[in-house]
């Protein structure tokens, strides 16, 4: 827990989490108020206070935003260095990054304690937690803007592969691609913002780069100016005390929802665990061949094309027609190859599904893992031409005229498949980034063994020793026709897609630039 001048909040924070965590490391970063004294007081007075360790980090830090951008990552004044130093204090197998303005919701304390108790069993994993922002006025009343719920990965295994790195404006948790991320579904904490305090003093700009921070800033300023509108829910004046009052409702979290009907749960369990959604001509056939040969994986033929061609008229969610469509989809896996329990399919055309179809995929398979392979967009389009003209149009590429090629590259189906940013935004609207495995054709060519090991880990499949020859064998490769200079010149102008935008969306640097 990083803390600086959190004297008005940190006692509520500590008392809410003392019952659930094994140890709590508070890193005081030169507080000018009584933060450290309050921590010591809780240590001395609260049951379980011995769990708390108070550390001091005396160096001034570059604040979020431009100050952070100017500070070298390995400097003691860097947020990255500070956060990794704080992480190194932890001695358990898992660590949770908990902010000093966060209060564990008492109604979720039992369920959250259950989550922590099962960490370390089975496969290693990270967990994201959701929090509701709560504002307190100068008069002591509390308000919660509707829909202002933020989710972030906060729990991960301790160790070098899981650490923080520098990104523009702030630090970012990085973890191996094979480390699956689970999501603790309910809102489990409240993030406190007091309207009579400088809640954004830890930023060196008010030109906030993220939609989340811009939304918080707008809410903060709006609530400072006047009474709440209909989009804000009023909370009782005792709200904050209620979160740490042991005499209130049971900490067990009450009765858990009974969940969906048994038939719906059964259908959900039969749905694929993974989908290969793209991109066309980017190594998806190679990926499909490697996965189909794995003893734990059960796949149908590549490119089922259910959601782009065979879905039929989609009924409303949960309707009889919707259930029939689900059963029609599951029928594709009855004769799937392999006897393993990890079902999946790879259809690269899914990359360009319309948003309403992506939403339907998310409703049917909210936990599905998505594989998205990429290559240089210009090389991808040329490969599609090399493959498509002889295979589907029955003519060698060398015989295709310039106008016909330009028309092909300008066509919506071809152009959209190279526009990775637009494809990904449609899917990221319904699935968190942690559900995606991003790979590049360059990796297939240069490090196929490492790529498939990472992918199997992502799918929670056993990593088996692969056949070196099969790993290096191209699958469904196009005829090796060199790209004419005029084609490259044309596509560089016509396909001026922003590589940095894709890198930002996937959290990795893409191996091409334009």
């Amino acid at each position: 827990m990083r803390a600086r001048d959190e004297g008005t909040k940190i006692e509520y924070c500590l008392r809410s989490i003392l019952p659930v965590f094994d140890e709590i490391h508070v890193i005081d970063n030169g507080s000018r108020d009584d933060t450290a004294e309050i921590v010591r007081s809780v240590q001395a007075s609260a049951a379980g206070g011995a769990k708390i360790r108070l550390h001091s980090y005396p160096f001034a830090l570059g604040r979020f935003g431009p100050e952070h951008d100017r500070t070298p990552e390995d400097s003691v004044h860097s947020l990255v260095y500070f956060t990794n130093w704080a992480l190194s204090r932890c001695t358990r197998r898992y660590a949770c990054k908990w902010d000093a303005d966060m209060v564990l919701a008492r109604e979720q304390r039992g369920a959250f304690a259950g989550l922590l108790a099962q960490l370390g069993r089975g496969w290693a994993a990270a967990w994201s937690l959701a929090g509701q922002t709560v504002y307190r006025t100068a008069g002591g009343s509390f308000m919660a803007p509707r829909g202002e719920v933020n989710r972030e990965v906060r729990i991960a295994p301790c160790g070098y592969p899981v650490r923080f790195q520098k990104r523009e404006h702030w630090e970012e948790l990085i973890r191996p691609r094979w480390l699956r991320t689970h999501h603790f579904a309910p809102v489990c904490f409240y993030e406190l913002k007091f309207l009579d305090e400088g809640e954004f003093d830890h930023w060196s700009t008010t030109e906030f780069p993220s939609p989340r921070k811009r939304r918080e800033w707008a809410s903060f300023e709006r609530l400072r100016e006047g009474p709440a509108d209909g989009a804000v829910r009023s909370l009782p004046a005792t709200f904050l005390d209620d979160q740490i009052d042991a005499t209130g409702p049971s900490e067990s979290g009450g009765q858990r929802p009974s969940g969906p009907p048994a038939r719906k749960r059964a259908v959900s369990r039969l749905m694929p665990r993974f989908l290969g959604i793209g991109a066309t001509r980017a190594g998806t056939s190679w990926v499909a061949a490697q996965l189909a040969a794995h003893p734990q994986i059960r796949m149908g033929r590549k490119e089922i094309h259910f959601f782009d061609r065979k879905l039929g008229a989609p009924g409303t969610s949960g309707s009889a027609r919707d259930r029939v469509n689900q059963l029609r989809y599951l029928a594709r896996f009855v004769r799937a190859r392999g006897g393993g329990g990890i079902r999946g399919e790879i259809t690269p055309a899914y990359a360009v599904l319309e948003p309403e179809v992506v939403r339907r995929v998310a409703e049917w398979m909210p936990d599905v893992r998505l594989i998205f392979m990429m290559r240089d967009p210009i090389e991808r389009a040329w490969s599609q031409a090399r493959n498509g003209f002889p295979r589907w149009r029955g003519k060698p590429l060398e015989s295709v005229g310039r106008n016909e090629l330009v028309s092909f590259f300008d066509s919506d189906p071809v152009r959209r498949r190279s526009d990775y940013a637009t494809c990904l935004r449609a899917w990221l609207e319904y699935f968190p980034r942690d559900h995606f495995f991003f790979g590049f054709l360059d990796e297939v060519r240069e490090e196929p063994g490492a790529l498939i090991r990472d992918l199997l880990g992502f799918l929670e499949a056993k990593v088996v020793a692969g056949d070196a020859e099969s790993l290096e064998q191209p699958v469904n490769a196009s005829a090796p026709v060199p790209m004419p200079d005029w084609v490259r010149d044309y596509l560089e102008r016509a396909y001026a897609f922003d590589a940095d935008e894709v890198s930002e969306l996937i959290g990795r640097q893409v191996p091409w630039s334009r």
Side-chain angles (χ1 to χ4, degrees), residues 5 20 56 64 115 168 192 302 327 370 380 395 412 456 480 506 510:
D5 296 336
V20 298
S56 176
F64 297 109
L115 164 66
E168 188 178 11
L192 304 177
K302 183 174 180 281
L327 294 173
L370 305 166
R380 194 219 64 77
K395 58 173 72 174
D412 189 61
L456 291 174
I506 71 174
V510 300

Side-chain angles (χ1 to χ4, degrees), residues 46-207:
K51 296 179 179 180
I52 300 173
R53 313 281 194 276
L54 178 62
H55 310 270
S56 176
Y57 191 88
F59 304 103
L61 298 175
R63 296 175 296 167
F64 297 109
E67 284 185 15
H68 168 73
D69 298 341
R70 294 193 297 267
T71 306
E73 182 172 341
D74 58 355
S75 167
V76 294
H77 303 289
S78 165
L79 285 164
V80 177
Y81 186 96
F82 170 48
T83 308
N84 284 325
W85 183 91
L87 186 62
S88 72
R89 307 302 97 184
C90 300
T91 68
R92 305 292 174 137
R93 289 182 62 190
Y94 277 78
C96 176
K97 180 176 175 285
W98 195 273
D99 297 339
D101 60 359
M102 288 164 44
V103 173
L104 180 62
R106 189 160 55 84
E107 63 271 19
Q108 294 299 334
R109 193 175 300 166
F112 187 69
L115 164 66
L116 298 183
Q118 62 91 32
L119 293 177
R121 301 176 187 171
W123 287 84
W127 286 83
S128 73
L129 307 178
Q132 165 74 59
T133 308
V134 171
Y135 296 85
R136 191 192 71 177
T137 68
S141 59
F142 293 91
M143 297 172 289
R146 300 182 190 278
E148 197 166 305
V149 174
N150 302 306
R151 180 173 288 279
E152 180 180 337
V153 174
R154 291 187 171 273
I155 299 176
C158 279
Y160 178 73
V162 180
R163 63 197 185 280
F164 288 83
Q165 69 176 4
K166 186 173 183 177
R167 65 170 293 178
E168 188 178 11
H169 303 309
W170 55 76
E171 83 285 15
E172 179 180 44
L173 181 68
I174 61 171
R175 51 203 185 278
R177 290 187 301 182
W178 52 260
L179 185 69
R180 185 185 180 190
T181 298
H182 300 287
H183 307 283
F184 187 74
V187 169
C188 69
F189 67 85
Y190 299 107
E191 183 176 355
L192 304 177
K193 295 195 180 300
F194 292 176
L195 297 175
D196 54 349
E197 295 183 1
E199 289 289 348
F200 295 88
D201 289 349
H202 57 292
W203 278 83
S204 57
T205 180
T206 55
E207 298 295 326

Side-chain angles (χ1 to χ4, degrees), residues 228-239:
D229 55 24
V232 177
R233 177 166 52 97
S234 295
L235 302 173
T238 59
F239 160 77

